Amino acid sequence: MTEETWTKGEKQETRCNDPLFALLFYGNVGAIVGVAAAYADEAFTDDTTSGYEYEGYLYAAIICGGLALVFSALLVALMMRIPQFLIKTSLIFMVGLTGFWMVISFATGAIGIGIMGAIFFALMLCYARAVWGRIPFATANLVTSGTAIRSNCGVTLFAYVFGALAFGWSMLWTIAFLGVWEQTYDCTERQDSIYSDCNTNYGYLFLLFLSFFFTHQVLQNCVHVTVSGVVGTWWFAPEESSSCCSPAVRDSFVRTITTSFGSICFGSLLVAIIQALRAIANQAQQNGDQEFIACIASCILSCLESLIEYFNKWAFVYVGLYGYSYLEAGKNVFTLFQNRGWEAVIADDLVGNTLFFLSFISGALTGCVGLVIEASSDLFDEAGGNSKTVSFTLGFTIGLVLCSILLSTIASGVNAVIVLFAEAPAEFDQNYPELSSKMRETWNAVFPGVI
């Protein structure tokens, strides 16, 4: 397919795209702030409806969050220095994980689950063998992305800012959630029994989950769009993107929080709705409410979530590069890939596996911090016999979420590189001939005839 059969992206005129969704986001944040202010005392009183005091959990979460940011920073630096080693390690980790699942299942007598684990283990072995030769290709993308980010290292500061905002939002949302929970959680003691019948208000729960996921998605995608804009400027105009706080970093960030913010909120809201529904389905399963239907719904929603996130990943690159609206950006970038015959290229996800591996490490390290806090303080006394499980789960979740936001600088850079290499390889070769030569070599070895 020749370049004349498709049209390159063009910088759009300055205007606020999809403003309605930006207003919805502001309303969401304002609502949680109001609820947190109104019910903050309810969350931490000694006579809570559920009989628990949550103040210790909040202090532990603050400690875990601060250390999670440190772990994430170290992992980002590590990934920029040894990308190929980490890609190989993450692939081996994924194979080992499925093998561990198989062995544990058979060892505990769960034969059916063990057989399923054996099937997945065999599939992972085949996958690892099939993609092992693509590791240099994935490494070339990572090196190019890392070079662009190192040349404009100030963009990582915005990732830390958004990571800190995500942490602050989690704390604020937790206060609002606990306050609403204490107001709406209804338990009635059974006669002649030590147990109680408790009713969950799924309407309030859905709105709270939607608010939580919506804001986190917006913060994460703001990093994605900012990095995409920076990499685009680095690609086309090296003179504007060769310092820590270059004009590329400043201008891309300004566009992200102004003219492109509505588009970011649009795509983020779609994913957040699916995530909130999944959370409700999972909660219904745990409560024993229509377990079979909830399980089926959770599986369907998981597939929908993956599809929308995949669309967003590429659409937001065009939003950051050229300032398109959300739907227009998605349409244009997939038309580009289709016309260039790059469906196989964008389906490869070795980098995604590596990011998950590093986020998992961050979560595990922060979970260990939670265990240390549990062993050396009384912050988890309310959890009783479950204190170790609760402390590790709290730390693991915080570490996983915060590291995912920070590592998204790498993922966003790689995605932008793939789009730009499909659209403007000549400009790349002119401005960075050494990197261009390496990428062409590895890409042609894996996908002959693509470029």
Side-chain angles (χ1 to χ4, degrees):
M1 188 71 65
T2 60
E3 291 194 10
E4 286 74 21
T5 60
W6 56 276
T7 303
K8 288 185 178 182
E10 298 178 352
K11 188 172 180 62
Q12 302 298 291
E13 63 181 48
T14 302
R15 67 176 185 274
C16 292
N17 294 315
D18 306 311
L20 174 61
F21 297 94
L23 294 176
L24 288 175
F25 175 79
Y26 297 139
N28 158 62
V29 173
I32 290 298
V33 170
V35 170
Y39 293 123
D41 292 338
E42 296 286 342
F44 304 113
T45 56
D46 293 334
D47 55 348
T48 56
T49 304
S50 56
Y52 292 102
E53 296 180 45
Y54 303 101
E55 191 172 359
Y57 296 158
L58 185 60
Y59 292 146
I62 292 173
I63 297 171
C64 288
L67 289 175
L69 291 176
V70 175
F71 294 147
S72 300
L74 294 175
L75 289 170
V76 168
L78 185 66
M79 188 172 187
M80 287 185 175
R81 293 184 64 87
I82 50 171
Q84 184 163 322
F85 173 79
L86 288 176
I87 291 173
K88 291 180 179 179
T89 303
S90 66
L91 189 56
I92 294 171
F93 170 76
M94 297 299 292
V95 174
L97 198 62
T98 54
F100 179 75
W101 172 29
M102 175 188 68
V103 171
I104 291 298
S105 299
F106 282 127
T108 56
I111 304 301
I113 297 177
I115 293 174
M116 185 180 300
I119 294 173
F120 276 103
F121 179 61
L123 290 174
M124 280 302 302
L125 285 174
C126 293
Y127 169 76
R129 181 178 179 182
V131 302
W132 192 264
R134 300 182 184 182
I135 290 177
F137 152 76
T139 301
N141 292 335
L142 275 176
V143 169
T144 301
S145 170
T147 302
I149 292 174
R150 281 196 300 268
S151 298
N152 302 270
C153 58
V155 74
T156 60
L157 296 177
F158 291 113
Y160 290 114
V161 168
F162 285 117
L165 288 174
F167 173 61
W169 169 255
S170 297
M171 296 301 100
L172 180 68
W173 181 87
T174 299
I175 293 172
F177 175 83
L178 294 175
V180 172
W181 185 263
E182 290 302 326
Q183 290 290 318
T184 61
Y185 191 70
D186 183 23
C187 286
T188 303
E189 293 186 359
R190 300 178 186 175
Q191 292 183 352
D192 303 323
S193 174
I194 63 174
Y195 299 103
S196 300
D197 292 319
C198 299
N199 298 317
T200 302
N201 190 316
Y202 288 109
Y204 285 122
L205 205 58
F206 171 75
L207 292 176
L208 287 166
F209 282 143
L210 178 61
S211 176
F212 178 81
F213 292 123
F214 185 21
T215 302
H216 273 292
Q217 281 288 321
V218 168
L219 294 173
Q220 185 171 339
N221 290 326
C222 279
V223 176
H224 184 28
V225 171
T226 301
V227 173
S228 296
V230 171
V231 174
T233 305
W234 174 85
W235 193 278
F236 292 110
E239 68 280 358
E240 297 180 15
S241 54
S242 57
S243 64
C244 177
C245 299
S246 64
V249 175
R250 181 189 64 245
D251 295 344
S252 182
F253 174 71
V254 170
R255 289 194 303 271
T256 295
I257 61 174
T258 55
T259 57
S260 296
F261 191 68
S263 299
I264 295 171
C265 294
F266 188 175
S268 300
L269 180 61
L270 296 179
V271 175
I273 291 172
I274 302 298
Q275 290 178 322
L277 290 172
R278 277 191 67 195
I280 291 297
N282 292 335
Q283 185 64 43
Q285 281 184 271
Q286 293 177 11
N287 293 345
D289 297 334
Q290 301 291 333
E291 290 184 65
F292 178 75
I293 296 176
C295 179
I296 297 298
S298 180
C299 292
I300 295 174
L301 291 168
S302 178
C303 294
L304 289 175
E305 180 184 345
S306 297
L307 288 173
I308 297 175
E309 286 183 334
Y310 186 76
F311 180 87
N312 282 357
K313 179 171 71 172
W314 301 108
F316 284 140
V317 172
Y318 248 54
V319 170
L321 290 175
Y322 303 114
Y324 285 105
S325 65
Y326 173 68
L327 293 178
E328 192 176 8
K331 175 185 175 182
N332 288 346
V333 74
F334 278 100
T335 299
L336 165 66
F337 285 138
Q338 184 178 15
N339 289 342
R340 296 284 278 174
W342 282 40
E343 292 88 345
V345 175
I346 63 175
D348 192 272
D349 199 30
L350 281 171
V351 173
N353 291 337
T354 307
L355 295 179
F356 169 76
F357 173 63
L358 293 178
S359 296
F360 183 89
I361 291 176
S362 175
L365 290 173
T366 313
C368 292
V369 170
L371 290 175
V372 171
I373 294 173
E374 185 273 337
S376 59
S377 71
D378 59 354
L379 296 180
F380 289 98
D381 285 355
E382 287 291 332
N386 296 322
S387 60
K388 286 183 171 57
T389 300
V390 171
S391 62
F392 181 82
T393 301
L394 177 66
F396 182 85
T397 302
I398 291 173
L400 188 72
V401 170
L402 294 183
C403 187
S404 296
I405 291 177
L406 296 179
L407 286 179
S408 66
T409 58
I410 304 296
S412 300
V414 169
N415 294 334
V417 165
I418 292 176
V419 172
L420 288 164
F421 200 58
E423 188 167 65
E427 289 85 343
F428 185 47
D429 189 56
Q430 178 181 353
N431 293 325
Y432 308 97
E434 185 176 348
L435 287 173
S436 176
S437 174
K438 186 63 176 177
M439 284 193 63
R440 285 176 181 275
E441 177 186 343
T442 56
W443 283 50
N444 278 323
V446 179
F447 302 105
V450 169
I451 55 175

